[in-house]
Amino acid sequence: RAAVKAVAAGVDGIVAEGGEGGGFKASRDVASMVLTPLVCSRVDVPVVTAGGICDGRSMAAAFALGAEGVQMGTRMVSAAESPVHDNYKALVVDSSETSTVFLNRWHKPSFRVLATPRSEAFEHAEEQVTLGSLEGILSLYFDGDLDAAFAFGGQVAGRIDRVESVEEIIRSTVEEFHTVVGDLARGYPVPR
């Protein structure tokens, strides 16, 4: 619904982010596997998929679902060049696929963050959880204090096992994308 409204308002493209992604979410989240083909079937502008994308295999899946591009948020937070503190990057690398917490499911804004003692303490809160102070966010990002604020990140953190340069991330993603697409074409030839 939001994508259709955005196109009607004149946007040139859509970033469709599934509920498995980190950051702000709808309280009734929808996974990229459902959201991407749904949005692609309803709009006539390019669609970039986000949520669950960290490599060429997940990029190929997004393209198979109809996307024309991908956005890798959690993956780029953990990149060598990312300005966030090494503690934040290590949190991403050390996380499993179940190491995220969805906060404010019944309040606004809802958001998905990486699991830390701070975020887990608020996981079942009935009252609205606030983002906290700017000082806390800056302390997390630049001083590495994981208890100072919520560390945004998605479930895909469970697939990220090392800090790499942006150049290496993009190179390996595109190479793997082409390998996966080629292997699929060879493995599942069109019947004649």
Side-chain angles (χ1 to χ4, degrees):
R1 189 172 67 226
V4 171
K5 285 177 71 173
V7 170
V11 301
D12 296 320
I14 298 289
V15 176
E17 182 172 336
E20 69 272 47
F24 297 104
K25 304 282 149 220
S27 59
R28 291 189 173 174
D29 53 319
V30 178
S32 295
M33 190 69 119
V34 173
L35 184 65
T36 301
L38 182 61
V39 170
C40 291
S41 73
R42 304 245 172 108
V43 301
D44 59 356
V45 297
V47 175
V48 172
T49 295
I53 311 297
C54 69
D55 59 10
R57 187 179 339 167
S58 48
M59 180 179 171
F63 277 52
L65 295 172
E68 295 182 43
V70 294
Q71 176 179 296
M72 298 187 287
T74 303
R75 185 68 191 101
M76 290 303 175
V77 164
S78 71
E81 296 89 344
S82 173
V84 303
H85 194 277
D86 286 345
N87 291 351
Y88 195 159
K89 295 176 191 182
L91 179 62
V92 171
V93 170
D94 294 340
S95 292
S96 74
E97 70 281 4
T98 59
S99 296
T100 65
V101 177
F102 197 99
L103 299 175
N104 281 341
R105 184 163 298 274
W106 311 121
H107 299 283
K108 291 182 181 177
S110 299
F111 47 98
R112 182 176 301 284
V113 298
L114 297 170
T116 63
R118 176 185 172 88
S119 63
E120 288 176 327
F122 288 100
E123 187 170 12
H124 299 287
E126 292 186 21
E127 68 280 352
Q128 183 174 10
V129 177
T130 62
L131 289 174
S133 69
L134 177 58
E135 293 80 18
I137 294 168
L138 293 175
S139 183
L140 164 69
Y141 276 62
F142 303 114
D143 299 329
D145 183 353
L146 299 177
D147 292 322
F150 298 117
F152 281 34
Q155 293 172 338
V156 78
R159 298 196 57 232
I160 300 167
D161 59 4
R162 65 188 174 280
V163 172
E164 296 179 294
S165 70
V166 171
E167 179 182 6
E168 176 59 22
I169 293 167
I170 293 172
R171 185 196 58 71
S172 64
T173 297
V174 172
E175 284 179 4
E176 184 181 40
F177 168 80
H178 287 291
T179 298
V180 167
V181 170
D183 288 349
L184 286 170
R186 285 185 294 282
Y188 301 94
V190 177
R192 298 206 191 285

